[in-house]
Amino acid sequence: MTVARIATFAFSGIEAMPVEVEVQLASGLPAFLVVGLPDKAVAESRERVRAALVGLGLSLPPKRVLVNLAPADIVKEGSHFDLPIALGVLAAMGVLPREEVAGYAALGELSLDGAIRPVAGVLPAALGASARDLGLICPASQGGEAAWAGRVEVLAAPDLLALMNHFRGIQVLTPPEPPPPEAAAPRGPCLSEVKGQESAKRALEVAAAGGHNLFRSMTKEPLPHDVSVDGPA
């Protein structure tokens, strides 16, 4: 009997609750079971994981594959359980080293060809992994988001094959960098981009500079002497 473990998270709002994915390969009739209060999306992970392995040229062994999501009294929701289940299965099969996989938390949705799709909750998961002294495995497109957590090793992979090559030492994944603040908070629209409408723009500038409502600026009343229009709109 072989058991592999990898961490992941369930989410309650923005709170990341630790979940341990246990994968057991045992003798018996071939089956692929997921237990631990999985919802419909998690139950469907079996087929996505199976198809992703086929896309890599692998197949499940003719054994009883049991995936337990612990603790079992918390409802598991979302497609982000695909990746930890797949990594747990690969570790139980001996394709990936069990000890190294156990040092990470993972989340991500799998496509049928093994690509890793983005999911919600990467930053809370990165913070949760950092608090537990674990690394984080996440989709490549969200590596920068996970890097905001600071002291956490992030493996941002485009697909399962890249992760397999990384753990084998064939092709090491480059640690992602957090995006610059400008990319995270793009600049909003500016009045300079508005063509014409000079009176309306003047009213907006006066309202913003004087700290009063726009209706007063749109009237024909003379402006107070203490109002400056040099401030930002």
Side-chain angles (χ1 to χ4, degrees), residues 142-166:
Q142 296 178 297
E145 178 184 350
W148 279 111
R151 189 181 58 85
V152 59
E153 179 188 357
V154 178
L155 298 181
D159 49 44
L160 274 178
L161 181 60
L163 281 174
M164 292 170 59
N165 290 337
H166 175 84

Side-chain angles (χ1 to χ4, degrees), residues 17-227:
M17 299 178 292
V19 172
E20 186 175 48
V21 179
E22 301 174 318
V23 180
Q24 179 194 77
L25 299 184
S27 58
L29 293 176
F32 192 167
L33 306 174
V34 179
V35 299
L37 286 184
D39 73 345
K40 184 64 174 177
V42 181
E44 291 174 347
S45 293
R46 297 175 300 178
E47 302 308 321
R48 289 191 292 270
V49 170
R50 194 193 308 270
L53 294 183
V54 171
L56 296 175
L58 302 172
S59 61
L60 291 173
K63 295 184 177 182
R64 187 175 185 268
V65 180
L66 177 61
V67 178
N68 180 43
L69 306 177
D73 59 346
I74 297 176
V75 177
K76 318 305 187 302
E77 300 176 332
S79 59
H80 65 277
F81 289 94
D82 289 4
L83 183 57
I85 290 176
L87 294 175
V89 170
L90 290 172
M93 292 169 56
V95 177
L96 297 178
R98 289 198 298 270
E99 294 76 12
E100 291 188 39
V101 169
Y104 290 89
L107 75 167
E109 179 182 334
L110 290 178
S111 65
L112 300 185
D113 61 356
I116 304 175
R117 291 174 172 165
V119 292
V122 168
L123 182 55
L127 294 172
S130 177
R132 302 180 66 198
D133 293 326
L134 296 173
L136 182 73
I137 303 173
C138 67
S141 60
Q142 296 178 297
E145 178 184 350
W148 279 111
R151 189 181 58 85
V152 59
E153 179 188 357
V154 178
L155 298 181
D159 49 44
L160 274 178
L161 181 60
L163 281 174
M164 292 170 59
N165 290 337
H166 175 84
F167 281 110
R168 291 175 175 177
I170 299 174
Q171 184 178 4
V172 178
L173 294 170
T174 303
E177 296 291 335
E182 293 79 12
R187 181 181 64 88
C190 180
L191 284 179
S192 64
E193 301 171 358
V194 179
K195 304 302 181 182
Q197 305 294 332
E198 299 301 328
S199 298
K201 290 194 291 185
R202 170 70 174 178
L204 289 171
E205 292 170 355
V206 170
H212 51 76
N213 60 65
L214 182 60
F215 178 77
R216 179 176 179 180
S217 301
M218 295 295 289
T219 65
K220 296 182 179 180
E221 297 179 4
L223 295 175
H225 296 294
D226 61 343
V227 173

